[in-house]
Amino acid sequence: DGGITQSPKYLFRKEGQNVTLSCEQNLNHDAMYWYRQDPGQGLRLIYYSQIVNDFQKGDIAEGYSVSREKKESFPLTVTSAQKNPTAFYLCASSIGRQDTTIFGQGTRLTVV
Amino acid sequence: QKEVEQDPGPLSVPEGAIVSLNCTYSNSAFQYFMWYRQYSRKGPELLMYTYSSGNKEDGRFTAQVDKSSKYISLFIRDSQPSDSATYLCAMSARINAGKSTFGDGTTLTVKP
């Protein structure tokens, strides 16, 4: 089945450590996105990529980094510079048309 | 002030009730309007989208957009316990959902 796979589902990190969240899609979508969701809040865009080897900052990019070396993969690194990293992270992809935007099932990151 | 304001809820209704979920916005450039449904601990799924003003119906769901009032609504007829979820409105000035601005969500509970 086509879709977006995020792993792991739950992730625990010690303060001061970097951690990488995986996002893989087999939908042949060109665009991919990372969102952060905090309790009771909507989705805030972290980074997005329209094509391979290119990406742009979203609204809350500070403390995060991404790469887009392959069309199907868009990993997100949460660095130690992110002051409040505990959140639910969602990866999404689209082919460009509105009705084909798909979200992954999310990764819940907790800093301990 | 946020660009998109969503009725906060939570909302609790009996099975079979008609549900109205609402969002207002301030950016007159928004042209694409979406509703997502998000079950607990899952990624959002696109429920409906509309372009510009007007109504769109899909089964028990109707989306309305009033651009003159900068107001959008999602109506759910004959609500079911399986409709219990958080509903997020989103809107964009382009056909690219990755650049959408999201509301904070309304949590709906439909009681049997």
Side-chain angles (χ1 to χ4, degrees), chain A residues 10-77:
Chain A
Y10 298 97
L11 188 58
F12 296 87
R13 188 196 91 175
K14 291 184 178 179
E15 282 193 33
Q17 288 182 337
N18 292 353
V19 64
T20 297
L21 283 58
S22 171
C23 178
E24 303 278 333
Q25 55 99 356
N26 60 3
L27 301 165
N28 201 32
H29 284 176
D30 292 311
M32 297 187 73
Y33 317 91
W34 275 104
Y35 287 92
R36 168 180 173 143
Q37 187 176 35
D38 294 286
Q41 296 190 31
L43 306 180
R44 292 185 290 170
L45 184 63
I46 304 172
Y47 268 98
Y48 65 103
S49 169
Q50 304 281 22
I51 56 172
V52 175
N53 293 321
D54 186 53
F55 49 83
Q56 285 78 40
K57 292 181 178 180
D59 300 319
I60 55 165
E62 185 175 353
Y64 300 97
S65 66
V66 294
S67 62
R68 187 84 187 277
E69 297 176 0
K70 297 185 295 182
K71 187 176 185 178
E72 60 270 23
S73 179
F74 192 41
L76 173 74
T77 296

Side-chain angles (χ1 to χ4, degrees), chain B residues 7-95:
Chain B
D7 287 354
L11 198 56
S12 181
V13 302
E15 184 174 355
I18 296 174
V19 176
S20 173
L21 304 166
N22 308 294
C23 290
T24 58
Y25 63 95
S26 58
N27 187 346
S28 57
F30 288 146
Q31 295 177 297
Y32 300 93
F33 305 92
M34 291 75 71
W35 286 96
Y36 289 84
R37 178 174 61 195
Q38 185 176 22
Y39 292 114
S40 181
R41 302 179 188 276
K42 301 291 186 183
E45 55 178 321
L46 182 65
L47 202 56
M48 296 190 71
Y49 80 96
T50 53
Y51 171 71
S52 194
S53 287
N55 294 357
K56 186 173 184 178
E57 187 173 324
D58 184 3
R60 296 184 295 110
F61 298 90
T62 300
Q64 284 187 354
V65 175
D66 182 348
K67 289 192 71 179
S68 62
S69 301
K70 296 189 177 65
Y71 189 88
I72 71 169
S73 299
L74 177 70
F75 296 97
I76 307 174
R77 292 184 299 279
D78 188 24
S79 56
Q80 302 295 310
S82 59
D83 294 328
S84 298
T86 296
Y87 290 81
L88 298 160
C89 66
M91 41 200 86
S92 70
R94 297 164 45 181
I95 199 167

